[in-house]
Amino acid sequence: MPALPEAHAIAVIALTIVAFYLFTRDDVPLATTSLTVLVTLTVGFHLWPYHTVDGTLEPSVFFLGFGHEALVTICALMIIGRGLVVTGALEPVARIFSRALAASPRLAMLSTCPTPARRRWRLPCWQRWWPPPHSRRSRSPTAHCWAWAS
């Protein structure tokens, strides 16, 4: 029979279940739930420290991930998106696309494709199929383009 999880693991799983439940509630704001979970983790690991082979897990470790550039980028995009919605800056563009979609659905869908995706097929064949397949030779329509294989 496997060993039971440690008390810290059980507490974190219980906190996760409570957080998921609170995220589904409309009467509790998301920011309040998120801040409550973060404060509970920090205070909990401060009062009952977690000891590992490398030493004690400091509660400040929970805040290290907030400086990661991917998280900052996603937050910035969310702020910009919310600003565009609140100010109504995209309303004229949305009206143009809705009229175009009503008139010609295919043309409207084609116009929303990003330009780099349309230019992708103008690349040399070795750039189109990068990274190379696992086999030495590919059975794809561009099988003659296997210059990367050694």
Side-chain angles (χ1 to χ4, degrees), residues 117-137:
R118 285 185 274 180
R119 292 183 184 167
R120 178 174 184 245
W121 297 111
R122 295 184 193 154
L123 297 173
C125 60
W126 61 272
Q127 289 179 346
R128 269 187 291 199
W129 297 98
W130 194 259
H134 296 290
S135 63
R136 181 170 172 83
R137 293 180 189 234

Side-chain angles (χ1 to χ4, degrees), residues 73-147:
T73 303
I74 290 171
C75 290
L77 286 173
M78 291 177 71
I79 291 169
I80 290 171
R82 181 67 180 163
L84 289 173
V85 168
V86 169
T87 61
L90 291 179
E91 288 296 321
V93 176
R95 273 187 255 126
I96 291 171
F97 275 118
S98 65
R99 278 189 251 133
L101 184 62
S104 174
R106 286 189 181 190
L107 185 61
M109 295 306 282
L110 183 64
S111 67
T112 60
C113 292
T115 305
R118 285 185 274 180
R119 292 183 184 167
R120 178 174 184 245
W121 297 111
R122 295 184 193 154
L123 297 173
C125 60
W126 61 272
Q127 289 179 346
R128 269 187 291 199
W129 297 98
W130 194 259
H134 296 290
S135 63
R136 181 170 172 83
R137 293 180 189 234
S138 174
R139 297 194 183 270
S140 68
T142 58
H144 62 281
C145 297
W146 52 280

Side-chain angles (χ1 to χ4, degrees), residues 6-143:
E6 296 183 14
H8 289 90
I10 293 172
V12 169
I13 290 172
L15 183 63
T16 304
I17 292 170
V18 169
F20 283 154
Y21 173 73
L22 290 175
F23 281 139
T24 61
R25 304 285 304 180
D26 289 335
D27 55 339
V28 180
L30 294 174
T32 303
T33 301
S34 301
L35 187 61
T36 303
V37 167
L38 188 60
V39 168
T40 305
L41 277 173
T42 307
V43 170
F45 276 85
H46 179 72
L47 295 176
W48 297 283
Y50 182 68
H51 303 288
T52 64
V53 178
D54 299 331
T56 303
L57 179 67
E58 296 295 325
S60 61
V61 171
F62 294 114
F63 298 102
L64 292 178
F66 288 110
H68 194 272
E69 56 193 37
L71 180 64
V72 172
T73 303
I74 290 171
C75 290
L77 286 173
M78 291 177 71
I79 291 169
I80 290 171
R82 181 67 180 163
L84 289 173
V85 168
V86 169
T87 61
L90 291 179
E91 288 296 321
V93 176
R95 273 187 255 126
I96 291 171
F97 275 118
S98 65
R99 278 189 251 133
L101 184 62
S104 174
R106 286 189 181 190
L107 185 61
M109 295 306 282
L110 183 64
S111 67
T112 60
C113 292
T115 305
R118 285 185 274 180
R119 292 183 184 167
R120 178 174 184 245
W121 297 111
R122 295 184 193 154
L123 297 173
C125 60
W126 61 272
Q127 289 179 346
R128 269 187 291 199
W129 297 98
W130 194 259
H134 296 290
S135 63
R136 181 170 172 83
R137 293 180 189 234
S138 174
R139 297 194 183 270
S140 68
T142 58

